[in-house]
Amino acid sequence: MASENTRKWAIIPEPNSMTVGEGTVLLPYAGRVNESIAIGDGDFLLAHQLVADIRSATGTDWDIATGDMWSGFIRLRIADSWDFDSQDGGTAGAYTLTINTDGITITGCDFEGVRNGVQTLRQLIRQNGAVLPVLQIEDAPAYRIRGYYLDATRGRVPTLAWLKQWVDKLCLYKYNQLQLYIEHTFAFDGMSETWRGSSPLTPADTLEFDQYCANLGIELVPSVSTFGHQYVAMRTQELRELGEFPEDADRPFSFIERMRHHTLNVADDRAFAFSTQLVDSYLQLFRSKRFNICADETFDLGKGKSKQEAQRVGVATLYATYVGKLCEHLSKQGREPMFWGDIAIEMPEILETLPNNVTLLNWQYEPEATDEKIQLVAQAGAKQIVCPAVWGWNALLPRIDDAWNNIARIARYGLDCGAEGMLVTDWGDFGHVNDPRMAVPGMIFGAQYAWNPAGDTAENDLLERISRVEYGDCSARFVALLRNASAQAVFTWRELVEYLELDDGTGNCNTDVAQTIPCLADRLVDHLSDCGNAMTVREARNRMMRNMATTIERIPQANRALQQCMVDIAPIAAHMGNPGITAAVRIAMEGQLLLNRVGFALAEAHDVRDAHDAGDWRPSDYRALARELECWCEAYAKEWNATSQPSELHRIQETVWKAADELRRISK
């Protein structure tokens, strides 16, 4: 793999076995792709993918044919028999690729195998044009299921056009499953009060997208919250009585409370009717037999309306009974239930009650995660899919190091414990401020390690390969610079939201928010007992900023480093020919520069920093900083529209405006 012949190009995921020969192969200027009808690709989409990439890379137009009467320089076929096994003992998705002077042959053990081989060839054509290396590849995935999980509900609803572009990319990197996370952003009949104003996806969107995914060999699995994460629904007039705390339904909207208080009161029989209505109407739109009911983070279970029932039977039993009923409801309809495993792992007795056809989605996002939770599920005999994350949430720039550490570890643990697959998650907490295009490096990490978890691929090597394959960056530095830029995020979107939401909207401290901030959670009770009064907003913000004092000191140095990253990345981006990603990266970096400056200004306002340490801005410049924030927000909104419907963009804008108003207030 390290020979001179391979150093100018790369393949992701890296093949399990590849032999590079001497010399090169020149593609004909008028060639043909012959795709066997036995592959089952009714529209010859795979052949069309190759023809499109050949046209883009060489400017020449190729023909497409099928049948043994037609020659083809590129031949796509299904093997009559197969003796090359994948790492898990099966053959699904396996392929061989041969490039020599006689032509190019891709042989798959099934449709997916041919599809995977075609994606490898497409990557080679994109990097080498008409002159390809002589080589022989035998390749197969370690995980049968290689999925991606995209948040389409917490603020950002993707456009259908962008979703199709994303699936094209997932196909290129050999993913075979996609799930969209839905809470309230689907236009369910009779629930307009829940989805109004959210730019919801529709049944027509889903039917079209399901077909599009299927054509590319990607299973679109329905996923909808049926237990926890019902924040928006539980705030409506029609459904609030189904929540654990209906009395809180009229509180001001909060990004943080949205992540904490959202649980159905499952002691109420109407809750099950509500959940099954979602399930029954949604599943009819998908060809997949799998269904993800989510059922995660039920933080309020047994604390509100269901408290009495929880005291009688126990919280674990209350949870297991409800999830079991939903799984049974799906099983009776011939579906295979999935749900997130966090609650079942916290209460291991639940694992013993799971039906045999249920798959546990075992998520762990810590960069230094251990295999303890994965081992626990394996020892219980439950089916599981391991779920790492791309680490983009709550931030403008992706935390690439954290994503690599998390994904590489979880993939290895899952393989060792016999997991059925890997599902890489991409969340949008706190309004989905993270541009989905920023998740591409993490997505490709997932592609590499779902294919070959046992490989010894180093992070820097993979960053270079992603730069070449995905971004067409001959310098192979683009993703490393993006990684370096993300390391300069000192005061992030999360900290800004926490600071602002400590005010409950009436001038009082929001204790629910304070309890999620470690430096405040420990002091809330002590403060009340010490002085007899609840903590004020000013006191809470003081403590928060003082706790960040050491971190805040890094901001001037971090911003200088971030500006240098912008200088270094600009000429590289100019030659990549991808203005969309260039603009997205520039907006994200500029936004982080501003967030760092806002954090420094707020620290100074709370006497954490002295005025003479303020660097290039003084107290009198806070109004200028406020104006810069507002101008940046307009540019950010334009980039939002490149991938997403309006959805909840207004909430991000309102947060930025609150920050600007706060800067003007402290400047007085």
Side-chain angles (χ1 to χ4, degrees):
M1 292 296 296
S3 72
E4 289 294 331
N5 285 341
T6 63
R7 287 181 180 169
K8 295 180 181 179
W9 50 266
I11 298 169
I12 305 173
E14 191 172 10
N16 291 304
S17 172
M18 180 169 71
T19 302
V20 179
E22 296 295 327
T24 57
V25 173
L26 180 65
L27 293 177
Y29 67 88
R32 178 183 294 131
V33 179
N34 184 301
E35 180 177 352
S36 170
I37 198 74
I39 293 170
D41 178 17
D43 294 329
F44 299 97
L45 180 63
L46 299 177
H48 282 291
Q49 284 183 326
L50 288 169
V51 167
D53 277 333
I54 291 170
R55 182 185 302 113
S56 178
T58 71
T60 60
D61 287 314
W62 277 40
D63 191 16
I64 292 172
T66 190
D68 56 11
M69 298 297 293
W70 297 92
S71 63
F73 192 80
I74 298 176
R75 299 171 291 276
L76 311 180
R77 67 186 189 91
I78 293 285
D80 296 327
S81 61
W82 197 264
D83 58 7
F84 174 63
D85 289 344
S86 64
Q87 295 179 26
D88 65 358
T91 58
Y95 71 94
T96 63
L97 167 62
T98 302
I99 302 177
N100 57 37
T101 53
D102 293 331
I104 300 170
T105 301
I106 294 172
T107 304
C109 67
D110 52 14
F111 166 80
E112 185 182 339
V114 178
R115 185 205 69 152
N116 292 336
V118 167
Q119 307 318 308
T120 296
L121 180 57
R122 291 176 67 203
Q123 291 183 21
L124 290 170
I125 291 169
R126 289 183 175 197
Q127 295 170 81
N128 294 284
V131 182
L132 301 180
V134 173
L135 56 73
Q136 172 73 33
I137 289 174
E138 291 185 344
D139 205 8
Y143 281 119
R144 179 173 58 86
I145 296 172
R146 304 175 305 283
Y148 198 84
Y149 194 85
L150 179 64
D151 191 336
T153 208
R154 287 181 178 155
R156 187 188 289 269
V157 177
T159 64
L160 184 58
W162 186 82
L163 282 173
K164 290 179 178 179
Q165 292 175 25
W166 188 251
V167 169
D168 291 339
K169 204 173 291 293
L170 293 179
C171 176
L172 181 64
Y173 295 106
K174 305 183 177 74
Y175 278 86
N176 63 5
Q177 187 184 108
L178 172 65
Q179 300 186 32
L180 301 181
Y181 177 54
I182 298 295
E183 290 174 10
H184 65 286
T185 52
F186 194 83
F188 289 106
D189 281 353
M191 292 183 61
S192 56
E193 188 187 4
T194 300
W195 50 254
R196 65 188 185 189
S198 68
S199 309
L201 294 167
T202 67
D205 294 331
T206 303
L207 292 171
E208 181 177 344
F209 190 48
D210 186 59
Q211 181 65 58
Y212 192 86
C213 290
N215 290 344
L216 290 170
I218 293 177
E219 178 186 15
L220 184 64
V221 174
S223 172
V224 64
S225 287
T226 59
F227 195 166
H229 289 290
Q230 294 290 347
Y231 181 77
V232 175
M234 296 303 100
R235 287 165 58 83
T236 64
Q237 295 292 332
E238 293 188 17
L239 296 172
R240 63 177 61 192
E241 289 302 320
L242 298 183
E244 284 279 10
F245 294 103
E247 63 272 18
D248 290 339
D250 292 322
R251 293 179 63 164
F253 176 90
S254 161
F255 284 133
I256 295 173
E257 289 184 39
R258 182 187 207 163
M259 301 300 299
R260 306 292 302 178
H261 302 302
H262 43 55
T263 307
L264 279 177
N265 167 23
V266 297
D268 187 328
D269 291 340
R270 294 175 298 174
F272 188 70
F274 168 73
S275 295
T276 54
Q277 177 188 352
L278 297 177
V279 168
D280 293 347
S281 55
Y282 204 43
L283 65 80
Q284 294 180 355
L285 304 174
F286 297 80
R287 68 192 65 204
S288 173
K289 294 299 182 183
R290 297 182 175 92
F291 196 106
N292 182 3
I293 61 172
C294 295
D296 58 320
E297 297 186 330
T298 52
F299 300 126
D300 288 333
L301 183 63
K303 296 179 180 178
K305 288 285 189 178
S306 70
K307 185 174 184 179
Q308 184 175 352
E309 182 65 9
Q311 289 173 339
R312 187 180 71 84
V313 302
V315 174
T317 298
L318 195 61
Y319 178 88
T321 300
Y322 195 75
V323 169
K325 286 172 62 180
L326 286 174
C327 290
E328 182 182 5
H329 180 80
L330 279 162
S331 298
K332 287 179 178 178
Q333 300 179 71
R335 305 289 169 150
E336 301 172 16
M338 297 175 158
F339 68 92
W340 299 109
D342 52 304
I343 304 300
I345 290 170
E346 287 176 10
M347 305 174 188
E349 61 268 34
I350 294 173
L351 294 173
E352 301 174 3
T353 70
L354 295 179
N356 292 332
N357 68 334
V358 171
T359 300
L360 209 68
L361 301 174
N362 195 350
W363 61 270
Q364 284 183 268
Y365 302 151
E366 300 86 355
E368 305 298 326
T370 69
D371 65 351
E372 181 181 358
K373 294 180 179 179
I374 298 172
Q375 289 271 16
L376 178 66
V377 175
Q379 290 166 4
K383 293 195 297 183
Q384 66 176 318
I385 290 174
V386 292
C387 307
V390 299
W391 272 87
W393 63 87
N394 299 343
L396 293 171
L397 291 165
R399 296 176 287 283
I400 290 176
D401 282 342
D402 289 340
W404 182 80
N405 276 302
N406 177 235
I407 291 169
R409 286 171 182 269
I410 296 301
R412 290 194 297 270
Y413 299 155
L415 185 67
D416 291 342
C417 293
E420 295 193 342
M422 187 165 82
L423 183 66
V424 181
T425 62
D426 183 357
W427 297 104
D429 307 8
F430 291 21
H432 211 145
V433 70
N434 40 308
D435 189 309
R437 292 169 291 187
M438 296 292 98
V440 168
M443 178 272 285
I444 299 177
F445 290 166
Q448 172 63 47
Y449 289 104
W451 193 268
N452 185 10
D456 57 356
T457 303
E459 180 184 6
N460 287 336
D461 175 62
L462 189 49
L463 297 186
E464 290 180 2
R465 289 197 285 130
I466 294 171
S467 295
R468 291 183 184 279
V469 177
E470 171 61 23
Y471 298 106
D473 169 25
C474 295
S475 75
R477 296 178 61 217
F478 180 79
V479 183
L481 286 170
L482 183 60
R483 185 264 313 271
N484 295 345
S486 70
Q488 312 312 320
V490 178
F491 192 78
T492 67
W493 180 254
R494 180 188 184 102
E495 278 88 35
L496 179 63
V497 170
E498 289 174 339
Y499 181 92
L500 295 174
E501 289 196 358
L502 280 169
D503 186 333
D504 68 359
T506 67
N508 295 315
C509 179
N510 188 326
T511 56
D512 280 346
V513 171
Q515 287 170 356
T516 68
I517 304 173
C519 68
L520 298 181
D522 296 339
R523 285 291 299 156
L524 286 174
V525 176
D526 293 341
H527 187 279
L528 185 60
S529 61
D530 289 345
C531 64
N533 297 312
M535 189 180 291
T536 66
V537 175
R538 177 70 184 180
E539 289 167 336
R541 287 176 170 174
N542 270 336
R543 178 167 289 276
M544 175 186 169
M545 297 309 299
R546 289 184 182 281
N547 187 66
M548 294 187 67
T550 303
T551 305
I552 294 292
E553 289 178 356
R554 287 188 50 230
I555 287 178
Q557 178 183 356
N559 271 15
R560 286 192 291 271
L562 184 49
Q563 287 170 328
Q564 186 60 51
C565 285
M566 293 170 65
V567 169
D568 293 341
I569 212 168
I572 295 173
H575 287 89
M576 293 191 323
N578 190 338
I581 192 63
T582 300
V585 169
R586 177 64 184 273
I587 293 298
M589 289 185 176
E590 291 283 2
Q592 188 55 58
L593 281 171
L594 290 170
L595 282 176
N596 283 349
R597 291 175 61 191
V598 169
F600 202 101
L602 293 176
E604 185 177 305
H606 287 275
D607 299 321
V608 175
R609 303 296 310 158
D610 294 329
H612 69 271
D613 288 333
D616 295 333
W617 61 94
R618 304 177 307 280
S620 59
D621 293 326
Y622 292 168
R623 292 184 179 184
L625 179 54
R627 292 192 291 271
E628 288 184 63
L629 267 180
E630 289 158 343
C631 291
W632 171 84
C633 193
E634 291 302 302
Y636 173 87
K638 291 179 181 178
E639 281 308 305
W640 175 287
N641 294 332
T643 64
S644 309
Q645 299 185 62
S647 33
E648 296 182 42
L649 171 62
H650 66 95
R651 297 197 190 279
I652 290 176
Q653 292 172 312
E654 288 162 5
T655 300
V656 173
W657 299 336
K658 285 181 183 177
D661 291 345
E662 183 68 14
L663 288 169
R664 291 187 174 98
R665 186 188 65 78
I666 65 177
S667 71
K668 295 179 181 178

